[in-house]
């Protein structure tokens, strides 16, 4: 404690050293002495703490439920050089669990608010905010090479896969051998209600995000026949109003798009959903459920976020300090009914489209249409692409077979979707280049014709 006549000065995170006796005693106990659980090669020293305090640079992606917990944990563990990326702004619904935000912050970028809060609260800590995800994409060449560890607290599979692909693209191979100095560890956390997971990914060495893509099932879409004719769940009633009644009745004017953040819109959908549910004797339609279905909200539980963020921060500490063996490599947490957790080692896929370094085979008959290939790329559990653009070298020329993201090119290449692969000039063994929002780098596939 500081002497009464010499009050401790908090510098507000300006980067100046602001220490007091015993501040890092809790961390020193792990770093300056050995124990039965330390890494076999660990040698106690004072250098590990200095590395964490002065050198180690951490990138936190996401400043939401998990991100707030991660920033707090990392800053209090001794990490001072932290960068945070988030493209979202603070919403009133965030305030019950994202504790770095206050009512006056509503409407401000989450990254800015979170950085300001931590910098002002924890002396010596310097959190640098990047309010929009495009910041990463604009500064790829120098951005990631500077970080020692990246931590994800995301609710988007696409964003996870993009970051996974970016770290894989940074790997350096010399004569086919991976240079370990090019590896930037990725710690990934995820929560859904009372369930969560934490994982440690060493790009090029352990299973990557795409290796285990089957663990992230595609978003559930209810069959239209069920929604329209045989609803059984309250969600069916809400989807009926969202998909069929809203565009038909246009309650707020012609062309007005349903806004999940507009209370009047949600109230209208809620009332009509109640009427639909009453007609089929279905219970359970609530305002909260209605908004959740409209916005595709995954329920958030603060305690689950705290547990998973703590697990992720612990893994960051292990890797940064080299004092303990990190998780190998996947931890599952479940407290839906009691408390249950276990770990397992996710294995790399030999034919992973992201990290295998070899083109993935695509098996189609010559008479298959390009539309079938497109459907496979988007619907396959192991690929789950969003809007793939397909190009190939045909008769010595690079040819765009289909590109959806640019309207003029989409219109010009749309007729190709109804053509057969043979008619497009593709041959057995043909190499196809596919670009998609799920990866910053183009993925290579090899076409294999079936009889």
């Amino acid at each position: 404690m500081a002497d009464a006549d010499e009050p401790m000065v908090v510098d507000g995170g300006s980067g100046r050293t602001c220490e007091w006796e015993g501040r890092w005693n809790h961390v020193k106990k792990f770093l300056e002495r050995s124990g039965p659980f330390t890494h076999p090669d660990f040698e106690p020293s004072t250098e590990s703490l200095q590395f964490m305090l002065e050198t180690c640079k951490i990138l936190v992606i996401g400043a939401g439920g998990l991100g707030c917990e991660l920033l707090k944990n990392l800053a209090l563990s001794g990490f001072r050089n932290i960068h945070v990326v988030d493209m979202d702004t603070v919403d009133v619904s965030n305030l019950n669990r994202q504790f770095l935000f206050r009512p006056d912050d509503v409407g401000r970028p989450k990254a800015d608010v979170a950085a300001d809060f931590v910098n002002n609260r924890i002396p010596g800590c310097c959190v640098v905010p990047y309010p929009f995800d495009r910041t990463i994409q604009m500064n790829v060449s120098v951005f990631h090479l500077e970080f020692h560890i990246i931590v994800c607290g995301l609710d988007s599979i696409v964003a996870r896969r993009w970051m996974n692909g970016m770290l894989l693209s940074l790997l350096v191979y010399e004569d086919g051998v991976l240079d370990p100095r090019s590896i930037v560890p990725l710690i990934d956390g995820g929560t859904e209600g009372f369930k969560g997971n934490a994982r440690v990914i060493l790009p090029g060495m352990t299973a990557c995000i795409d290796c285990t893509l089957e663990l992230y099932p595609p978003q559930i879409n209810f069959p239209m026949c069920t929604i329209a004719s045989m609803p059984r769940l309250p969600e069916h009633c809400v989807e009926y109003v969202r998909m069929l009644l809203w565009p038909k009745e246009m309650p707020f004017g012609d062309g007005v798009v349903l806004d999940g953040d507009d209370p009047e819109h949600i109230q209208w959908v809620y009332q009509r959903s109640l009427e639909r549910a009453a007609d089929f004797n279905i219970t359970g339609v609530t305002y909260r459920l209605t908004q959740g279905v409209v916005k595709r909200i995954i329920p958030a539980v603060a305690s689950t976020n705290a547990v998973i963020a703590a697990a992720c921060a612990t893994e960051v500490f292990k890797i940064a300090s080299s004092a303990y063996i990190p998780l190998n490599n996947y931890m599952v947490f479940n407290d839906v009914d009691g408390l249950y957790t276990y770990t397992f080692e996710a294995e790399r896929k030999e034919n992973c489209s992201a990290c295998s370094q070899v083109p993935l085979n695509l098996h189609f008959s010559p008479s298959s249409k390009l539309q079938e290939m497109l459907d496979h790329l988007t619907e396959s559990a192991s690929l789950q692409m969003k809007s793939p653009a397909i190009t190939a070298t045909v008769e010595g020329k690079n040819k765009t077979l289909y590109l959806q993201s640019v309207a003029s090119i989409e219109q010009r290449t749309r007729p190709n979707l109804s053509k057969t692969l043979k008619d497009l000039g593709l041959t057995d063994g043909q190499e196809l280049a596919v670009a998609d929002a799920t990866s910053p780098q183009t993925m290579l596939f090899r076409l294999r014709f079936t009889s």
Side-chain angles (χ1 to χ4, degrees):
M1 297 292 293
D3 187 86
D5 297 327
E6 298 180 4
M8 182 185 72
V9 177
V10 176
D11 65 21
S14 63
R16 300 192 306 272
T17 300
C18 183
E19 303 290 7
W20 57 90
E21 185 178 354
R23 180 178 184 184
W24 302 114
N25 282 351
H26 63 296
V27 179
K28 290 180 179 179
K29 291 177 181 178
F30 294 98
L31 302 179
E32 297 182 5
R33 63 182 185 182
S34 60
F37 300 108
T38 55
H39 194 287
D41 300 327
F42 174 66
E43 295 182 3
S45 70
T46 60
E47 295 179 359
S48 294
L49 178 59
Q50 292 308 307
F51 172 76
M52 290 172 51
L53 293 175
E54 300 173 5
T55 306
C56 189
K57 182 181 288 188
I58 308 291
L59 173 63
V60 176
I61 303 179
L66 269 177
C68 286
E69 292 279 357
L70 283 166
L71 291 170
K72 176 259 294 180
N73 291 344
L74 293 171
L76 292 175
S77 297
F79 295 99
R80 288 174 159 171
N81 198 346
I82 304 172
H83 295 235
V84 59
V85 174
D86 196 296
M87 64 177 293
D88 205 0
T89 56
V90 179
D91 185 72
V92 173
S93 63
N94 304 144
L95 302 180
N96 70 327
R97 66 194 181 281
Q98 298 175 24
F99 53 85
L100 300 182
F101 310 140
R102 299 294 182 266
D104 290 344
D105 298 322
V106 172
R108 291 185 58 200
K110 285 186 177 181
D112 287 343
V113 178
D116 289 344
F117 190 102
V118 175
N119 289 339
N120 290 326
R121 184 67 176 267
I122 302 179
C125 190
C126 181
V127 179
V128 179
Y130 298 85
F132 303 102
D133 65 345
R134 65 172 178 266
T135 306
I136 296 183
Q137 300 178 31
M138 290 168 58
N139 297 279
V140 163
S141 58
V142 295
F143 205 70
H144 293 85
L145 292 175
E146 299 178 355
F147 293 104
H148 295 91
I149 302 172
I150 293 180
V151 196
C152 284
L154 295 163
D155 58 3
S156 166
I157 304 302
V158 173
R160 278 189 177 92
R161 295 177 66 186
W162 192 92
M163 180 54 59
N164 178 72
M166 175 52 56
L167 296 183
L168 290 170
S169 71
L170 297 177
L171 297 179
V172 175
Y173 291 86
E174 296 180 0
D175 297 327
V177 178
L178 175 63
D179 183 353
R181 295 172 299 179
S182 65
I183 297 175
V184 181
L186 174 65
I187 316 298
D188 179 55
T191 64
E192 182 174 337
F194 289 98
K195 303 175 183 178
N197 68 81
R199 63 187 301 184
V200 175
I201 298 172
L202 302 178
M205 294 182 62
T206 64
C208 75
I209 295 289
D210 282 45
C211 284
T212 56
L213 200 56
E214 290 87 347
L215 296 177
Y216 306 100
Q219 181 175 289
I220 296 175
N221 292 309
F222 301 112
M224 182 58 71
C225 58
T226 300
I227 295 173
S229 306
M230 299 177 291
R232 300 184 302 275
L233 302 173
E235 290 84 353
H236 294 161
C237 301
V238 179
E239 283 288 83
Y240 175 82
V241 177
R242 183 184 74 86
M243 298 178 65
L244 299 177
L245 289 191
W246 181 277
K248 178 181 179 181
E249 300 188 10
M250 296 180 290
F252 292 87
D254 188 12
V256 176
V257 179
L258 176 57
D259 184 354
D261 293 314
D262 189 322
E264 293 185 1
H265 289 198
I266 297 299
Q267 184 64 32
W268 186 89
V269 176
Y270 169 54
Q271 292 297 334
R272 299 307 299 268
S273 299
L274 279 177
E275 297 171 7
R276 175 76 171 173
D279 292 340
F280 289 88
N281 297 318
I282 296 173
T283 59
V285 174
T286 64
Y287 183 92
R288 184 173 182 178
L289 174 78
T290 302
Q291 188 173 42
V293 172
V294 170
K295 296 182 65 177
R296 294 294 192 264
I297 293 175
I298 298 173
V301 176
S303 58
T304 309
N305 286 335
V307 170
I308 297 303
C312 291
T314 300
E315 296 307 318
V316 174
F317 180 84
K318 291 179 184 178
I319 293 175
S321 66
S322 299
Y324 299 88
I325 299 175
L327 176 69
N328 185 28
N329 52 35
Y330 204 111
M331 185 273 284
V332 174
F333 173 82
N334 188 332
D335 63 343
V336 173
D337 186 11
L339 179 61
Y340 179 66
T341 182
Y342 68 96
T343 63
F344 67 92
E345 181 181 357
E347 297 184 358
R348 290 187 68 185
K349 286 177 62 176
E350 293 183 359
N351 61 343
C352 174
S353 60
C355 73
S356 66
Q357 300 291 307
V358 294
L360 186 65
N361 288 332
L362 290 176
H363 296 277
F364 289 94
S365 71
S367 60
S368 298
K369 291 181 170 55
L370 185 64
Q371 180 68 60
E372 297 177 48
M373 180 183 292
L374 192 73
D375 292 341
H376 173 74
L377 294 173
T378 57
E379 296 173 5
S380 168
S382 61
L383 296 174
Q384 296 187 39
M385 295 185 180
K386 298 303 175 184
S387 54
I390 308 172
T391 61
T393 301
V394 179
E395 296 180 352
K397 296 181 179 179
N398 191 45
K399 181 179 181 181
T400 299
L401 302 180
Y402 183 69
L403 192 149
Q404 183 176 342
S405 57
V406 181
S408 59
I409 302 180
E410 194 281 332
Q411 185 176 6
R412 179 169 56 84
T413 57
R414 190 184 308 164
N416 289 340
L417 295 176
S418 59
K419 296 180 181 179
T420 67
L421 303 182
K422 183 179 179 180
D423 290 341
L424 290 170
L426 302 181
T427 58
D428 184 50
Q430 177 95 49
E431 196 169 86
L432 303 174
V434 180
D436 189 63
T438 57
S439 176
Q441 55 185 346
T442 300
M443 290 166 279
L444 296 179
F445 294 85
R446 194 171 300 282
L447 180 60
R448 294 298 185 187
F449 279 158
T450 59
S451 55

